[in-house]
Structures are given as structure tokens and as C-alpha cells.
């Protein structure tokens, strides 16, 4: 097993909440990257800059999964979600044969409180794959339904 990290943000300050890193772990020739991306319109640390850094690393792998908080709503066009799609990545939620509604945030949370739709349900936590894969199911976990709620974001569980 191999593990590596990649700085995604311009900031490289442990005390700054805008510092963004990806942690990559390779198991059986498949890379898994845990990420927490910045917002699309952030003047100091914009999503497109961070996506370019992540793409330079993860995009070179034969098979890679990106997992985490992308801070990009799946139903908002012309921003982060569409940029990832245009880059050739596959949204495992869309590939899933069985799926729930997919929303991982169901109330106003930090960073989104000033948005016009702050309390609307959002699918900002996602799992992406570098190539099409057969996904049996995708479901939201730790949202208080089957498992206890542990955060203001829920998680995602996919079965390949």
C-alpha cells in the first residue's frame, strides 16, 4: 500500500481553513483520494485552481476514485460539478443501478448560510471515478436514518 498527499490550494498554512490537501492511498493498483475542495467563487482559493492540481495528480492514474466534500452542488450548472464531468470523470451516483436521493446536506451549514438556498438539500459530497465502472448501489450514510447522524454532512457508501 502506498500513501501520498498533494497540496491543492495556494495556501499551505496548517492554521488556515482554506488550506486544501488531497490524501491518496493506493491499494491493488487503484488510487483513492480523500478531498475537501474549496468553493467555486472563492477569490483566494477558487475551486478551478484546486481542481487543476487534483487533476494533475489523480488524472494520471489508470484507476482512481475521488471521495469527499466537493463544495459543488450536483444540480448547479457551469460550476465545479460540470468541470469535473467535462474533465472525463464519472459520478458514481449517476452510474449506480440503485440509489437514494443522494443528498448529503439537508440543512443550512457553515459556508452556505448566506446562499439564497441555504436550507435546501444538496449533493455536495460525491464519489467520482476516473473511468466508467459498474456501480450496484449508492446510498447516503450517517444521516440519522439507518445510522446515527455524526456531522452536518452525511457520507456516501457505494457498492461496486
Amino acid at each position: 500500500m502506498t500513501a501520498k498527499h498533494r497540496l491543492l490550494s495556494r495556501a499551505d498554512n496548517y492554521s488556515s481553513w482554506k488550506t486544501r490537501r488531497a490524501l491518496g492511498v493506493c491499494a491493488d493498483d487503484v488510487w483513492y483520494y480523500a478531498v475537501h475542495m474549496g468553493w467555486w467563487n472563492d477569490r483566494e482559493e477558487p475551486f478551478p485552481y484546486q481542481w487543476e492540481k487534483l487533476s494533475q495528480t489523480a488524472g494520471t492514474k489508470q484507476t482512481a476514485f475521488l471521495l469527499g466534500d466537493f463544495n459543488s452542488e450536483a444540480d448547479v450548472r457551469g460550476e465545479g460539478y460540470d468541470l469535473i464531468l467535462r474533465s472525463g470523470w464519472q459520478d458514481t451516483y449517476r452510474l449506480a443501478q440503485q440509489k437514494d436521493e443522494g443528498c448529503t446536506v439537508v440543512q443550512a451549514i457553515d459556508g452556505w448560510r448566506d446562499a439564497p438556498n441555504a436550507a435546501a438539500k444538496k449533493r455536495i459530497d460525491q464519489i467520482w471515478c476516473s473511468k466508467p465502472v459498474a456501480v450496484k448501489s449508492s446510498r447516503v450514510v450517517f444521516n440519522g436514518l439507518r445510522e446515527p447522524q455524526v456531522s452536518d454532512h452525511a457520507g456516501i457508501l457505494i457498492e461496486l
Side-chain angles (χ1 to χ4, degrees):
M1 188 168 317
T2 304
K4 295 184 177 184
H5 70 90
R6 171 75 193 253
L7 179 66
L8 303 178
S9 56
R10 293 179 178 119
D12 186 10
N13 177 349
Y14 183 80
S15 299
S16 172
W17 63 272
K18 289 192 176 190
T19 297
R20 307 292 182 167
R21 294 186 183 280
L23 174 63
V25 176
C26 184
D28 297 325
D29 295 324
V30 177
W31 281 88
Y32 303 89
Y33 291 90
V35 302
H36 185 184
M37 305 292 283
W39 290 276
W40 180 258
N41 290 321
D42 188 301
R43 290 182 187 170
E44 298 162 355
E45 295 293 346
F47 181 98
Y49 177 87
Q50 294 171 13
W51 173 250
E52 180 63 29
K53 296 291 186 186
L54 182 57
S55 295
Q56 289 170 357
T57 298
T60 63
K61 311 302 184 208
Q62 183 174 356
T63 305
F65 286 88
L66 309 176
L67 315 98
D69 178 355
F70 286 82
N71 273 315
S72 288
E73 294 183 64
D75 62 351
V76 172
R77 304 285 57 93
E79 293 187 0
Y81 184 88
D82 285 350
L83 176 59
I84 299 170
L85 274 179
R86 282 194 315 271
S87 299
W89 288 80
Q90 306 293 313
D91 179 359
T92 60
Y93 178 81
R94 292 173 68 173
L95 296 174
Q97 294 172 7
Q98 296 178 348
K99 56 189 159 200
D100 57 14
E101 70 176 357
C103 295
T104 56
V105 174
V106 296
Q107 73 279 340
I109 60 172
D110 287 342
W112 294 86
R113 294 193 195 287
D114 296 331
N117 64 345
K121 294 180 179 182
K122 298 170 185 55
R123 191 164 75 83
I124 61 175
D125 302 275
Q126 301 147 8
I127 300 175
W128 295 85
C129 189
S130 58
K131 61 184 183 182
V133 292
V135 181
K136 292 179 185 175
S137 64
S138 175
R139 74 176 181 91
V140 176
V141 294
F142 299 111
N143 59 356
L145 299 178
R146 289 189 188 178
E147 306 85 9
Q149 183 174 350
V150 296
S151 175
D152 58 354
H153 288 248
I156 305 167
L157 177 67
I158 63 170
E159 181 182 4
L160 302 178

